[in-house]
Amino acid sequence: MKPKKHTVPYDFLIRLVSLGKGVVFHSVEENFSDNVEHFETPYPSALLCNHVSEADVVSLSMVYRRLEPKIKMIIPAREDILQPGFLQKEFRSKGILKWILKLIDTSKIIPFLLRYIGAVPIKRPFRDNARALLKSGELRDKVDSEWTDLVANIKRGRNLFMFPEGTYSHDGFLNQIKRGAYYIRSKIDSLHFNSFTLTYDHLSYQKTKLYIKYGKPFHIESNQTADQVIRLVGEKLGKNYTVTLGNLTSFILLKFGKETKIKKDQLIDLLIKIKKQIESKFPEITVASELKKESFHTQLESLFTKLKKFKLVDWEEDTVQTKEILYHFPKSNHNLKKTNIVLYHRNQLTAHLNHLEQVWEGLFLEPRSFQ
């Protein structure tokens, strides 16, 4: 197996995708596990990442810059992205934009470029035409064929970008990890593994800020069971979520547990205290630069302006009052970002919650003191 090294046209096309960061994100912050600024990807490698939204495509193009060495990738993609008319079906735009998207779809340029970069179609359970295949008894054979193609592409010289969850996360944290990493490892003995985790802060800026935490290479032993591999992958991805202003503030608001008034200065003081305790006691947890520098006053105003629009808090002058609806947890976590965006952001910290609870208890603070 010889690696397919990157080429100038290949790099150029991925760079074009990366230009979308200015449209999608406020900014991008990258954190590395060691004192290096590259992401170890010896051939053959499977690079595992959590799956948040459509914006992950742009995120992957940002990660590509950090690969060392740079090798052409194979990227499983939802089947309909590579089919005719995708943009019109996905965005359902009107007016001039509708005709622009129709023109792009007619040119078939997007499927061509995606396939050139390395995207291959993958069926999603109960999406695409998977229901019909399931009913006819053909789904298992189709899925097996798709995984066989992925293995063949790796053996032809490409590294693999893979979303182990298989679908978008709707509650802020990880969905159930599927058996993909286990399957790929069983087919390629020499396969290396590494991971990176995307954390999106939708609250602290006008546009979303992206945090990328790069992990360290890890090995999956040949005798590990599927369940052991699933747990290992979940731990690698979960522990690398970044503590941001958005999710740490969400954690604090939900700790109050009822309608509470708190002064802005008190909240800032509390955020700083918790941040310092995290850095002191749990240095392995990645903390966002805004929190490290303690320079987040403007972002905090943006955050509470958004929460007020969601009717989760009232905010007047320097006092924030949480509303009862903030503590109503929806029956379904589907699209939690719309139904309770505070819970969505708190959930990003799921793998860190035990540590955060220790920090909280260590501060000897009672929510009643803020009433």
Side-chain angles (χ1 to χ4, degrees):
M1 298 188 296
K2 291 184 178 181
K4 288 190 175 182
K5 295 183 179 180
H6 65 112
T7 61
V8 172
Y10 188 85
D11 288 357
F12 175 74
L13 288 177
I14 293 181
R15 182 169 176 77
L16 284 181
V17 176
S18 72
L19 294 178
K21 70 176 182 178
V23 177
V24 178
F25 301 119
H26 169 275
S27 56
V28 179
E29 181 174 317
E30 298 173 277
N31 289 285
F32 296 85
S33 296
D34 295 310
N35 295 323
V36 295
E37 292 193 357
H38 66 262
F39 187 44
E40 292 187 40
T41 57
Y43 175 78
S45 284
L47 311 180
L48 313 181
C49 176
N50 59 317
H51 205 2
V52 184
S53 72
E54 293 92 343
D56 294 348
V57 174
V58 180
S59 302
L60 293 184
S61 70
M62 303 300 297
V63 171
Y64 178 77
R65 302 174 308 149
R66 302 296 190 178
L67 302 186
E68 184 62 43
K70 282 188 175 63
I71 294 169
K72 287 185 177 181
M73 305 300 302
I74 190 74
I75 309 168
R78 49 190 276 197
E79 185 181 54
D80 55 341
I81 290 180
L82 300 172
Q83 292 178 341
F86 167 73
L87 292 178
Q88 297 170 79
K89 294 174 184 176
E90 181 74 5
F91 297 103
R92 300 177 183 178
S93 301
K94 298 180 180 179
I96 295 176
L97 183 57
K98 175 182 178 180
W99 291 102
I100 292 174
L101 296 181
K102 184 176 181 179
L103 181 63
I104 296 173
D105 278 337
T106 302
S107 72
K108 299 181 181 179
I109 186 65
I110 288 183
F112 171 78
L113 293 178
L114 287 176
R115 287 183 185 277
Y116 179 79
I117 289 172
V120 294
I122 295 292
K123 292 192 179 300
R124 298 165 295 166
F126 307 106
R127 298 290 296 274
D128 307 319
N129 62 336
R131 287 181 183 272
L133 290 172
L134 181 64
K135 189 174 181 179
S136 66
E138 301 175 53
L139 182 59
R140 180 177 293 277
D141 290 340
K142 179 63 178 175
V143 171
D144 287 345
S145 173
E146 290 171 345
W147 281 104
T148 300
D149 287 343
L150 286 177
V151 171
N153 272 287
I154 295 172
K155 291 182 176 180
R156 284 195 289 264
R158 291 178 181 255
N159 280 340
L160 173 69
F161 267 135
M162 187 171 76
F163 298 111
E165 300 160 272
T167 186
Y168 299 146
S169 169
H170 293 291
D171 73 349
F173 193 58
L174 299 172
N175 279 322
Q176 180 180 359
I177 303 296
K178 305 299 192 298
R179 295 163 60 100
Y182 171 79
Y183 178 85
I184 292 289
R185 170 63 183 81
S186 70
K187 299 299 181 182
I188 303 176
D189 290 337
S190 59
L191 192 62
H192 304 271
F193 287 89
N194 209 334
S195 68
F196 59 98
T197 300
L198 309 175
T199 307
Y200 291 7
D201 185 347
H202 302 286
L203 288 174
S204 302
Y205 298 87
Q206 288 298 104
K207 288 193 290 188
T208 300
K209 181 168 180 179
L210 166 64
Y211 300 83
I212 306 173
K213 175 59 185 289
Y214 296 98
K216 297 179 181 180
F218 65 96
H219 187 66
I220 295 178
E221 302 291 342
S222 59
N223 62 350
Q224 286 184 278
T225 67
D227 287 342
Q228 288 173 329
V229 173
I230 286 170
R231 285 195 297 272
L232 175 62
V233 171
E235 289 174 3
K236 295 292 182 182
L237 294 175
K239 290 181 178 179
N240 276 338
Y241 274 82
T242 300
V243 175
T244 70
L245 178 62
N247 56 40
L248 188 56
T249 302
S250 297
F251 168 79
I252 291 172
L253 293 178
L254 289 171
K255 285 300 293 183
F256 292 150
K258 55 183 174 180
E259 295 178 88
T260 304
K261 286 185 179 180
I262 181 171
K263 293 287 187 181
K264 181 181 174 182
D265 289 344
Q266 289 178 306
L267 182 58
I268 290 173
D269 183 60
L270 187 53
L271 283 163
I272 291 173
K273 284 182 178 179
I274 293 176
K275 184 270 301 187
K276 287 181 176 178
Q277 288 294 309
I278 292 172
E279 291 178 324
S280 173
K281 295 182 177 180
F282 309 108
E284 70 277 11
I285 296 178
T286 303
V287 176
S289 60
E290 297 87 353
L291 289 169
K292 285 183 178 179
K293 297 175 183 176
E294 301 176 12
S295 57
F296 49 79
H297 296 63
T298 301
Q299 287 73 43
L300 204 57
E301 290 184 9
S302 173
L303 187 153
F304 281 112
T305 298
K306 289 185 178 181
L307 294 187
K308 187 173 183 178
K309 288 181 180 178
F310 278 100
K311 299 181 179 179
L312 297 174
V313 303
D314 282 327
W315 180 35
E316 295 181 2
E317 296 181 353
D318 291 329
T319 301
V320 176
Q321 179 170 355
T322 60
K323 302 180 74 171
E324 184 181 355
I325 191 173
L326 176 67
Y327 307 104
H328 291 176
F329 293 173
K331 293 181 179 179
S332 171
N333 284 334
H334 183 74
N335 208 357
L336 190 60
K337 190 168 65 175
K338 286 187 177 180
T339 56
N340 191 331
I341 195 168
V342 170
L343 181 58
Y344 175 91
H345 281 78
R346 195 286 302 271
N347 285 350
Q348 293 176 346
L349 302 174
T350 298
H352 303 318
L353 284 180
N354 287 338
H355 293 331
L356 290 174
E357 293 290 348
Q358 291 180 43
V359 169
W360 181 265
E361 292 171 5
L363 294 176
F364 300 104
L365 293 173
E366 291 291 336
R368 289 189 298 272
S369 64
F370 297 111
Q371 293 180 348

